[in-house]
C-alpha cells in the first residue's frame, strides 16, 4: 500500500529507483541511479534516509558499482569490490546500517569467490534483494503483530516518521497503521509535526495521505490538548535504540508524549524490529544523546526566526522510560510491560539470529 | 530594564514611538506614529500586539486623532471624537483591550465636557498616560510578588511570550524574571519556541537577551527532556483567561508543560493581572478555544512544509487545570493552590476596583 522507497529495476545491469525525500512533501519525484556515483550522491544528500533504507541503498549501490568492474578473475574482482564498498561507506560515515549492508555484500562475495565473476555478481544482486526483502518481511510482521491493538474507529497519535520512507516500504509504527487499514478498520491519525526537522509534517502526513489514511497534522505542543479532547485512544511510535530494560531512545519529544499518554490513561506503544534492542546498554541513562546544530532551531525553514547569538539546546533524541511503555511490538512478538525479564523472554529465542 | 514597547513623546501635539514587533527578532526598529492613520495601521498589522499593549496603543491613538480636530466647541469635539474611536476600533475588531482603552478615553472626554476643548485634550493625554502607567505598576507589582519564588542559581522554563512586548514594558511572567535579575539573582531561562507562531523564539528570547538574562531556546517537544536533566527548577507562564475555579487558558502547549512539570515534581506558576480572571466562567470546560488558520502550521515560515490538502488542527489555546498550578501570582497577591475559595479570598477585596 505505501509507495516503495527504493527498488531495483532490471537484472544485474539494472538501476535503482528511489523517492527523492528531500523534495517531499511538495514534490514526489523518482530518481534513477544508474551508476555508483549517483547512488553515493543520493545517500550523501539524504534523498534516501532512515536506517533500514540506507542499508538497502548501500547494498544496491554495490550492485551498481560492480557493473563497472570489467575483470574476469575473481581475486581481482574482490579487490575492486573493496574499492566500491569503501567509496559507498564514505557517503554517510556514521550510518551503522550502511556498513552493516556493505559488510553483508562483502561476505557474500567472499563466500562465492570460487565461482565465476558473473556468478559472484549474480549472488550480490540476490543478496541486495534479500536485504530489501527481509526488511519488508520484518515490517509486515510488525504490522501484523501490532494491528490488534488498533481498534476500529479509533484515533491514534504518532510522533516523527517511523514509516515506509525509512524502510523498504512499510515502516514500523506506521506498518501497524497500514495493516489496520488493510484490515478494513477506520482510523484517524494525529501526526505531531516533530520540530525541528518536521518529519511528521513532511513525511508521516504525506505517507499516510498516500495510503488513504485519514491524517490530521498538529504541532507537538498540541498533543496533550488532543488527548484531553479524547480524540486519540492510543499512541504509537518507532524507536532508535532500546536498552536491555526497555528504556527507549527515539526522536526528541517522544518522552513528552509518553508522559501525556500516561496522564490521560492512553496506551503508549513502541514498534521496532528486534535489531533495535541494544542489550549492551543496561538502561536509558547510558544511551548517549546526540546534540545537533542550533541552526535547525533558529533557521528551521531557511529563514532566521530567533535572535542572533541566542543559546540553543537541540537534543535529537530523548529516552522514554520502560514504565511509560504499554508494549513493544516487534516482528518476533509483543513485549507487554517491558522489563529485563520480559525482553529476555522474547529475545532469548531470537537474539542470535538478528544481531 | 526591558525596552519600552510603546511610549508617548512630547505634549498634546506629540507622537507615539513603538517597537515594530513584526520585524523582531532580526531587526529592532522604532516606528513613530504622528497621526491617526499611522497608529491604526500599526495596530492592524501587528506592529504592536499583546492585550495590554493594544489597549495603550488605542488610548494613545485617540490623542493622535484629536490633534486633527480643530473645533472650539466641546459638543462638536465629542462628536468628532466618536469618529476617532470608531475608526481605531476597526483596526482589530476582536481585541477586547482595545475597546476597553477606547471606552475609558470616551468616558474621560464626557466627564470633562464642560471644559474647553484644549482642557479636554489635555485630560485625554493624561488618561492615555495613566492607562500606560497603571499597566506598568501592575506588571512591576506582579514582578515583586513573584520574585521570591525564583531561587538564586535556578533554571526557569517559560512558554510563549508573557513579556514586556505584550504590555507597557515589564510583562507578567517575564516581570517575575526581570525582578529576580534586578535582585541580583543568577538565573537561566529556557524558552519554548512556541509553535506555530514562535513567540518564544521571536519575542521571549529577544526580550530576555536584551535584559541581560541568560536564555536558551528549545523546541516545545524538548521541555520534558530538559526537566528530566534537572535543568529547570520551576515553570512560569502568563494567562489569557482564568476561570473562577483557577483553570487557566493560555497559549497552546501550556497544558503539556503543566503535565510535564507535575511529572517531574517542578512547581508551575501562572503570572497574570487580576483583570485576567473571568468569574463568569465557572471552569476551564466553559472557556471557548479559538481555532486558527491551517496555514500557520503548514506554512509556518513562509514556505510550505506539509502536504497540500492535509487536515490540520490548530487550537490557539489550551486549558491548564487548577490542580496543575502551584500558585497564581497577581499584582494584588499570590494565590497558592488555586481554588474557588482561595481565588475569592484574594479577589473579594479587589475585584470591584479592577474590573
Amino acid at each position: 500500500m505505501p509507495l516503495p522507497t527504493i527498488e531495483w529495476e532490471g537484472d544485474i545491469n539494472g538501476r535503482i529507483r528511489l523517492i527523492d525525500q528531500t523534495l517531499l512533501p511538495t514534490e514526489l519525484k523518482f530518481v534513477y541511479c544508474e551508476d555508483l556515483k549517483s547512488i553515493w550522491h543520493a545517500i550523501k544528500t539524504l534523498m534516501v534516509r532512515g536506517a533500514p533504507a540506507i542499508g538497502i541503498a548501500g547494498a544496491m549501490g554495490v550492485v551498481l558499482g560492480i557493473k563497472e568492474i570489467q575483470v574476469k578473475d575473481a581475486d581481482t574482482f574482490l579487490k575492486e569490490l573493496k574499492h566500491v564498498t569503501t567509496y559507498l561507506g564514505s557517503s554517510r560515515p556514521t550510518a551503522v546500517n550502511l556498513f552493516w549492508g556493505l559488510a553483508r555484500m562483502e561476505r557474500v562475495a567472499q563466500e562465492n569467490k570460487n565461482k565465476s565473476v558473473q556468478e559472484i555478481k549474480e549472488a550480490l544482486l540476490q543478496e541486495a534483494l534479500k536485504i530489501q526483502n527481509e526488511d519488508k518481511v520484518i515490517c509486515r510482521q510488525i504490522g501484523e503483530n501490532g494491528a490488534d491493538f488498533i481498534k476500529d474507529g479509533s484515533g491514534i497519535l504518532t510522533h516523527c516518521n517511523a514509516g515506509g520512507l525509512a524502510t523498504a516500504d512499510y515502516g514500523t509504527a506506521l506498518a501497524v497503521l497500514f495493516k489496520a487499514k488493510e484490515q478494513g478498520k477506520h482510523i484517524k491519525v494525529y501526526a505531531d509535526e516533530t520540530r525541528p526537522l518536521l518529519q511528521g509534517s513532511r513525511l508521516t502526513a504525506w505517507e499516510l495521505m498516500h495510503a488513504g489514511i485519514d491524517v490530521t497534522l498538529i504541532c507537538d505542543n498540541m498533543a496533550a490538548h488532543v488527548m484531553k479532547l479524547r480524540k486519540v485512544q492510543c499512541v504509537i511510535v518507532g524507536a532508535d535504540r532500546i536498552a536491555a530494560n526497555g528504556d527507549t531512545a527515539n526522536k526528541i519529544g517522544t518522552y513528552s508524549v509518553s508522559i501525556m499518554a500516561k496522564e490521560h490513561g492512553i496506551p503508549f506503544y513502541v514498534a521496532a524490529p528486534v535489531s533495535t534492542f541494544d542489550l549492551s546498554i543496561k538502561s536509558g541513562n547510558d544511551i548517549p544523546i546526540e546534540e545537533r546544530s542550533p541552526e535547525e532551531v533558529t533557521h528551521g525553514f531557511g529563514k532566521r526566526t530567533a535572535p542572533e547569538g541566542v543559546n540553543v539546546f537541540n537534543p535529537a533524541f530523548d529516552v522514554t522510560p520502560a514504565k511509560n511503555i504499554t508494549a513493544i511490538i516487534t516482528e518476533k512478538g509483543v513485549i507487554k510491560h517491558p522489563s529485563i525479564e520480559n525482553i529476555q523472554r522474547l529475545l532469548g529465542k531470537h537474539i542470535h539470529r538478528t544481531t
Side-chain angles (χ1 to χ4, degrees), chain A:
Chain A
M1 191 165 47
L3 285 166
T5 308
I6 180 164
E7 292 286 343
W8 182 265
E9 291 190 343
D11 62 8
I12 183 73
N13 293 308
R15 62 182 184 176
I16 297 169
R17 188 190 77 170
L18 53 85
I19 294 175
D20 182 350
Q21 297 191 36
T22 63
L23 301 178
L24 292 176
T26 42
E27 195 181 337
L28 170 60
K29 187 180 158 192
F30 289 100
V31 168
Y32 297 89
C33 299
E34 312 260 356
D35 58 20
L36 187 60
K37 208 168 164 181
S38 60
I39 187 64
W40 184 92
H41 180 258
I43 299 171
K44 176 79 176 177
T45 60
L46 310 185
M47 284 184 189
V48 56
R49 53 151 282 287
I54 290 176
I56 298 162
M60 289 182 176
V62 170
V63 187
L64 289 181
I66 60 175
K67 285 206 294 191
E68 295 158 27
I69 307 178
Q70 301 300 348
V71 296
K72 290 262 155 63
D73 150 60
D75 274 357
T76 318
F77 177 83
L78 289 180
K79 274 182 204 143
E80 295 284 328
L81 178 68
K82 188 69 203 159
H83 292 144
V84 169
T85 55
T86 305
Y87 174 68
L88 283 169
S90 70
S91 62
R92 281 196 76 187
T94 58
V96 174
N97 281 60
L98 176 60
F99 292 95
W100 168 88
L102 297 174
R104 264 184 73 161
M105 296 298 275
E106 284 175 4
R107 198 165 58 234
V108 163
Q110 281 296 335
E111 286 165 5
N112 289 278
K113 67 180 173 186
N114 295 327
K115 296 185 181 163
S116 73
V117 167
Q118 188 58 30
E119 284 170 326
I120 302 175
K121 285 184 173 182
E122 282 291 347
L124 287 169
L125 172 59
Q126 291 314 312
E127 187 67 12
L129 297 175
K130 195 176 159 196
I131 289 174
Q132 179 190 31
N133 201 50
E134 282 173 9
D135 185 61
K136 286 188 184 181
V137 170
I138 287 171
C139 291
R140 299 270 159 176
Q141 197 56 51
I142 290 174
E144 291 274 351
N145 293 348
D148 281 353
F149 293 110
I150 308 298
K151 304 271 177 297
D152 188 27
S154 69
I156 301 103
L157 182 84
T158 188
H159 186 76
C160 197
N161 177 256
L165 289 168
T167 62
D169 78 338
Y170 212 63
T172 55
L174 296 196
V176 174
L177 304 182
F178 293 137
K179 186 67 199 175
K181 159 91 177 166
E182 282 173 25
Q183 291 172 342
K185 290 174 185 163
H186 298 279
I187 57 174
K188 189 168 170 65
V189 180
Y190 284 82
D192 278 351
E193 65 171 9
T194 318
R195 278 283 284 153
L197 295 183
L198 300 176
Q199 292 91 340
S201 44
R202 292 194 303 107
L203 307 178
T204 299
W206 182 85
E207 272 195 64
L208 293 173
M209 284 174 81
H210 268 266
I213 293 177
D214 182 350
V215 56
T216 298
L217 179 63
I218 59 171
C219 296
D220 301 298
N221 63 19
M222 297 168 186
H225 183 61
V226 164
M227 290 179 185
K228 197 184 205 180
L229 296 175
R230 299 178 188 278
K231 287 178 185 284
V232 296
Q233 283 68 50
C234 77
V235 174
I236 188 158
V237 298
D240 281 89
R241 217 195 287 203
I242 306 176
N245 71 344
D247 290 352
T248 295
N250 192 43
K251 183 58 59 198
I252 186 73
T254 305
Y255 172 48
S256 303
V257 177
S258 79
I259 296 170
M260 297 173 212
K262 195 174 65 167
E263 171 80 7
H264 294 90
I266 292 168
F268 181 93
Y269 302 112
V270 170
V274 164
S275 59
T276 314
F277 284 89
D278 183 344
L279 300 184
S280 73
I281 291 182
K282 239 170 111 175
S283 83
N285 297 331
D286 304 323
I287 301 180
I289 303 291
E290 174 194 0
E291 286 184 34
R292 294 176 58 88
S293 150
E295 282 72 28
E296 291 183 355
V297 179
T298 58
H299 295 69
F301 309 86
K303 189 174 152 188
R304 168 176 283 281
T305 53
E308 194 123 12
V310 69
N311 300 321
V312 174
F313 180 52
N314 183 20
F317 304 99
D318 58 24
V319 174
T320 299
K323 68 179 168 64
N324 289 6
I325 300 170
T326 310
I328 300 175
I329 300 156
T330 80
E331 73 275 28
K332 304 294 182 188
V334 173
I335 304 163
K336 290 186 183 171
H337 311 295
S339 65
I340 296 180
E341 298 72 28
N342 291 345
I343 290 167
Q344 286 286 4
R345 199 169 301 133
L346 187 86
L347 295 198
K349 293 180 286 185
H350 301 290
I351 196 73
H352 300 297
R353 274 195 276 151
T354 54
T355 53

